[in-house]
Amino acid sequence: MPLLLLLPVALAMGGHMQSWRRKSLWLALSASWLLILLGVFPLLRLAVPARPRARASQRWPRWLDAELLQSFSQPGELLEDGPQPPQAPRGGSCNWGACFDASKCRDGGFKVFVYPAAGPISETRRRILASIEGSRYHTVSPAEACLLLLLSSDTPAGQCEPVPAQWDEGRNHLVLNLHPAPCPRTVQLGQAMVAKASPTVDTFRAGFDVALPLLPEAHPLRGGAPGQLQQHSPRPGVALLALAGERGRWHTAGTNSSACPWDGHCEQDHGPKQTPPGALLPSATFCLIPGRSPDAWHFLQALQAGCIPVLLSPHWELPFSEVIDWTKAAIVADERLPLQVLAALQEMPLTRVLALRQQTQFLWDAYFSSVEKVIHTTLEIIQDRIFGASARPSLLWNSPPGALLALPTFSTSPVDFPFYHLQQGSRPVGRFSALIWVEAPGQLPLKLIQVVAGSQHCAQILVLWSCEKPPPPRWPKTAVPLTVIGGHRKASDRFFPYSAVSTDAILSLDAHSSLSTSEVDFAFVVWQSFPERMVGFLTWSHFWDETRGGWGYTAEKANEFSMVLTSAAFYHRALRNLADETPTCADVLMNFLVAAVTKVPPIKVPYGSWHQEARPPLAPGSPGLRQEPQPAAQDCINQMAAAFGHMPLVSSHLRLDPVLYKDPVSVLRKKYRSLEKP
């Protein structure tokens, strides 16, 4: 109103008041622009969700990349919300330093005790107990436990079973609710941590509680179904968007539909009313998931399908947000701006789409595909808190093969693992250690020692003496150090992490192995290019035996193979881990472990036929260069497949031969001249 009164006053004045008229017009124009800006800026503020509260452990997915916002606004014009003071959660004021006694974990290690159930338990609870009791964390004594775990009860809704006698106000306790629990322990928690499926952000205590995924009732105990993404880049005819609906339904829409994701009227409607595990999952590039907690189950479905989750302002804590960087696998959008969100998704570069979809498959396989992985991830997060500054870095959690397969008991530095050389721009040390296993006193590997010592890449030779009789006092003189180590007469002795090993690469040999120096040199050069794989000379192949209804393996010569014998093979020292329960299947188990970690097959290098003819077949169970596995030893492959929950072996047809090998050129030009035999 004051602005409207100024204009008549200015017009009533004479010509000598022209300057006032110009000022009044300028003032009116400025006020008009101010009104426009006041109406536009709130709309622009909706383009980017408000920043989450300042929380050290939170890694929320960012909204769409900044360059994608230019289609409807300039990033510099967007107003940002200032940081808000954190609100006290309803669960109490506990944090890691105040409510957890880490001193109990330093002496006896990280041990977990699970309170027994008072009555009959459900199948879901039985699977949780089995995953913990079969792990390396479990202990039967609560006195030596670092963490005491209390599973959510199966009591009727609203009822809570009494707390155990060792409750101690919940200190060093973890209340585990893998599924929505009928017992709301909001008052009785005390100092206990809570591992809950899809907790809300206002009750979640960051750095103390653990956010779990919402799993279906029939989620497998171990192994689990693999990710279902067949092609990482979008294909013609594949829906751009899928919207999570009620009762497990997914609504899909093509690139030209803008109303479907929000009103549910889509071009197509795929999927049954309730999508069970293993059924058809959304075939789309982006999966729009509303922010209600019941929609958290759709989030896990999208991960398995390789459909990039687009979270429409979620109100639940993302699973394992303390260690998983969800900015690499998910996107946060705002459901109040459907046109802008749709435009930004359509303009996203294919390279960005590829990276996000690849990460969804890695996260699903590493942490979410089975109950066992979910439970072990929860316990590893708590164990990392105990390690503190020496815990595993984010790279190990968010890059293949994942933190569950890069254990802190071996190392917490990515440099010590062969999987991270590419990310760090490094490569393994250019020397290897030869480990020769001697099982019988009559198998002195004198010639083999000289052959291996002649390699230009050999740094040391370790003789693992696993005989009852003492080793001879004298050994042949070599150009590299030779050390004799006492073994325990077990097939797994060769895979023990001996402190004497000073290199990344290990050449595993048996006393009766027969190799040439050129074969050793070339195999090591191949391994340097593939340090995460096993490189060997003799191979086996696994197959499905229809008559026996199980897996089998054979040593018959064929183009396809999936295992290399560890009696003559290179591998990285980080891959040494072999159980003593199956000494007759050491080769099979080692290949299982490496394949489960790397998801790739081994590599075969040439091995002269004159070596094989000079070696008779060994008895079943002997870890030497065997011919055909005996039928009694075939069962180990089925036992291991059952223990892993799936068949991890990957078949390959690749064999790498040295350059100029067998070529009609001058012998002096051949780098591995001794490999060529008549």
Side-chain angles (χ1 to χ4, degrees), residues 281-466:
L281 295 178
S283 178
T285 304
F286 300 99
C287 282
L288 305 179
I289 303 175
R292 303 177 302 272
S293 293
D295 296 310
W297 185 52
H298 293 95
F299 180 77
L300 213 56
Q301 277 188 311
L303 282 185
Q304 183 182 4
C307 185
I308 301 171
V310 180
L311 308 172
L312 303 176
S313 304
H315 299 293
W316 75 84
E317 188 76 11
L318 296 183
F320 304 137
S321 56
E322 184 174 341
V323 294
I324 293 181
D325 185 359
W326 286 108
T327 64
K328 298 180 178 180
I331 296 172
V332 169
D334 196 324
E335 59 185 346
R336 294 170 294 183
L337 295 173
L339 297 180
Q340 289 89 335
V341 172
L342 181 63
L345 294 177
Q346 290 175 329
E347 297 176 17
M348 180 174 290
L350 292 182
T351 54
R352 173 68 171 161
V353 173
L354 173 61
L356 290 169
R357 303 190 85 178
Q358 286 178 330
Q359 192 70 1
T360 62
Q361 300 299 273
F362 157 65
L363 293 176
W364 165 261
D365 181 73
Y367 305 117
F368 300 109
S369 61
S370 68
V371 173
E372 187 175 68
K373 291 178 181 178
V374 172
I375 297 299
H376 289 188
T377 302
T378 303
L379 299 179
E380 289 293 333
I381 289 175
I382 298 176
Q383 184 176 223
D384 270 12
R385 296 176 184 173
I386 298 171
F387 279 96
S390 60
R392 285 163 291 196
S394 178
L395 178 63
L396 269 64
W397 281 100
N398 294 280
S399 300
L404 297 185
L405 298 174
L407 301 181
T409 52
F410 174 77
S411 175
T412 58
S413 173
V415 179
D416 295 327
F417 294 93
F419 324 109
Y420 308 111
H421 288 301
L422 182 61
Q423 292 97 321
Q424 300 185 112
S426 60
R427 61 179 304 175
V429 179
R431 306 291 294 278
F432 70 84
S433 299
L435 184 65
I436 304 176
W437 187 48
V438 181
E439 186 182 16
Q443 299 177 344
L444 291 180
L446 303 181
K447 182 179 179 181
L448 181 62
I449 290 175
Q450 296 294 347
V451 168
V452 175
S455 172
Q456 58 181 322
H457 306 290
C458 183
Q460 61 179 159
I461 296 177
L462 305 175
V463 177
L464 182 58
W465 192 264
S466 296

Side-chain angles (χ1 to χ4, degrees), residues 555-594:
E556 293 182 358
K557 294 182 179 180
N559 292 330
E560 186 177 80
F561 64 93
S562 57
M563 293 180 280
V564 296
L565 273 66
T566 57
S567 54
F570 278 99
Y571 60 88
H572 195 283
R573 64 191 179 95
L575 304 179
R576 293 180 308 223
N577 186 11
L578 193 66
D580 291 328
E581 287 78 6
T582 53
T584 60
C585 302
D587 294 306
V588 179
L589 181 53
M590 188 63 176
N591 280 272
F592 262 62
L593 291 170
V594 177

